[in-house]
Amino acid sequence: MSELFSKKNKEAFVNPLGLNNPVTVQVLGICSALAVTAELKPAIVMGLSVTIIVAFANVIISLLRNTIPSRIRIVVQLVVVATLVTLVSEILKAFAYDISVQLSVYIGLIITNCILMGRLEAFAMQNGPWASFLDGLGNGLGYAKILIIVAFFRELFGAGTLFGINILNYECIEKAGYQNNGLMVLAPMALIILGCIIWWQRAHRKELQEK
Amino acid sequence: MDNFLNLFVRSIFVDNMIFAFFLGMCSYLAVSKTVKTALGLGLAVIFVLVVTLPVNYLLQTKVLGPDCLIKGVDLSFLGFILFIAVIAGIVQLVEMVVERFAPSLYASLGIFLPLIAVNCAIMGASLFMQQRIGLDATDPKYIGGVVDAIGYALGSGIGWLMAIVALAAIREKMAYSHVPAALRGLGITFIVVGLMAMSFMCFSGLKL
């Protein structure tokens, strides 16, 4: 059992959640992180989908790593990922149709999400299946974490709701002069909020600052 | 022809790949440090988009769409896997052709071509096109033929090029300014892109 949770495996899981976060530090998978975060619900579904796909793609590639000729490895990786994404997309269409419509093309774009290719190339090609699974899980959850933070602020200040439940839209709050900021649900504020999250993180972690 | 121009202009300004849909953001942020490399990547993106979108259009309408191969069978769900295969294959092909016949172009674009296979702008454009084929013919976003697909590809590519060159120019100038230590690099870049996106919002009311 101690083998399964060795120090290295634990690091593979914990690092991406904070110090080596795929979105804010490695700058991977930004497209979908920004596009699906206008509300919390699609953001969580997207985060979970990516987590599942990264974890399983990592395991599959890690199992195949010694049989893939290195010249065609990118194609093999793309095919494995595309198959998993097709599965997730069909499952979403069957069981959560509204959300799959909201996420539209961004589910399909998980295929070209750099987090996947990055983790497959950098980790799964060199490590065993269990470590790769943990690494995929950690990176997926690190990605989901940023999505949820961004979506929280955008939905709260943009629409005054969380998970569609009314939080700020009351008469007494409106009388005090507060109004929902429609700009929050549009594209530009997603970028600015993510910029501020990176600012906050780097202000606390001096070693991440760029010269 | 009407729709060609309409799609072309719309996809540059209103449906800009970067500012409206965040597509191709990873390479957008990574390769926008100098104007020269940004221009190279932008041109490569236009090139690959214009080649792949018509192919994917034919694939969608002649092979994958409802009732195309077998009566009553809709193969659209295979789109993900086939589109990415087409993109990866064409990028590989383009790389070889350019290397053989235009060595000087290869020297400036060559290193970017493999990057583009996994650029979400290309895949995203294909997936948006798949959605738009299913729209009503009167919708301004409708793509109804190979020519329309080329117009959409050209417009999206030029919009992307414009966005990356603009950001690269700003970042070159920004190197001389005093940015707070924690914001330096990535943080300030995000905020700059946010402000640029805000200014592009003024095109969203454009009626064509």
Side-chain angles (χ1 to χ4, degrees), chain A residues 24 27 29-31 34-35 82-83 86 90 104-106 108-109 111-112 114 186-188 191 198-199 202-203 209-210, chain B residues 19 21-26 77 80-81 84 118 120 123-124 127-128 131 181-186 190 193-194 197-198 201:
Chain A
T24 59
V27 208
I30 309 286
C31 329
L34 296 167
T83 313
T86 310
E90 294 298 309
S104 75
V105 301
Y106 293 98
L109 284 175
I111 298 173
T112 50
C114 332
L186 295 172
L191 289 155
I198 292 169
W199 186 6
R202 293 191 178 181
Q209 291 177 6
E210 292 171 47
Chain B
F19 299 130
F21 299 114
F22 313 107
L23 295 179
M25 212 63 187
C26 305
F77 70 92
F80 294 161
I81 228 168
I84 197 73
V118 288
C120 7
M123 185 67 184
L127 293 176
F128 272 121
Q131 281 189 344
L183 255 181
R184 229 170 269 159
L186 198 59
F190 268 112
V193 179
M198 233 180 254
M201 272 169 52

Side-chain angles (χ1 to χ4, degrees), chain A residues 9-30:
Chain A
N9 284 351
K10 217 172 138 194
E11 265 173 15
F13 179 70
V14 174
N15 263 355
L17 289 176
L19 202 54
N20 199 14
N21 190 288
V23 180
T24 59
V25 181
Q26 302 173 46
V27 208
L28 300 174
I30 309 286

Side-chain angles (χ1 to χ4, degrees), chain A residues 128-165:
Chain A
W130 173 245
S132 300
F133 180 74
L134 285 180
D135 178 78
L137 216 57
N139 275 285
L141 290 176
Y143 168 86
K145 185 177 109 181
I146 300 295
L147 249 68
I148 290 168
I149 298 174
V150 176
F152 174 82
F153 286 112
R154 285 181 76 188
E155 192 178 347
L156 183 63
F157 295 116
T161 58
L162 288 175
F163 293 105
I165 297 162

Side-chain angles (χ1 to χ4, degrees), chain A residues 46-186:
Chain A
M46 184 74 182
L48 285 179
S49 309
V50 171
T51 308
I52 292 166
I53 292 169
V54 185
F56 284 101
N58 255 357
V59 170
I60 293 171
I61 291 295
S62 162
L63 287 171
L64 292 175
R65 71 183 187 282
N66 295 324
T67 54
I68 303 174
S70 75
R71 273 192 72 83
I72 59 156
R73 64 180 195 286
I74 304 271
V75 179
V76 175
Q77 288 164 3
L78 279 176
V79 170
V80 168
V81 173
T83 313
L84 286 169
V85 171
T86 310
L87 282 178
V88 168
S89 157
E90 294 298 309
I91 290 171
L92 278 183
K93 268 186 206 152
F95 294 106
Y97 186 72
D98 295 341
I99 289 183
S100 93
V101 168
Q102 240 176 336
L103 291 173
S104 75
V105 301
Y106 293 98
I107 282 285
L109 284 175
I110 298 177
I111 298 173
T112 50
N113 192 319
C114 332
I115 294 181
L116 277 147
M117 298 308 281
R119 290 334 290 170
L120 294 178
E121 272 293 287
F123 200 90
M125 289 299 282
Q126 282 98 36
N127 291 282
W130 173 245
S132 300
F133 180 74
L134 285 180
D135 178 78
L137 216 57
N139 275 285
L141 290 176
Y143 168 86
K145 185 177 109 181
I146 300 295
L147 249 68
I148 290 168
I149 298 174
V150 176
F152 174 82
F153 286 112
R154 285 181 76 188
E155 192 178 347
L156 183 63
F157 295 116
T161 58
L162 288 175
F163 293 105
I165 297 162
N166 188 1
I167 303 282
L168 290 173
N169 297 322
Y170 293 107
E171 213 173 320
C172 54
I173 299 177
E174 264 163 43
K175 270 201 186 123
Y178 175 83
Q179 273 194 331
N180 288 326
N181 185 352
L183 195 59
M184 288 302 257
V185 293
L186 295 172

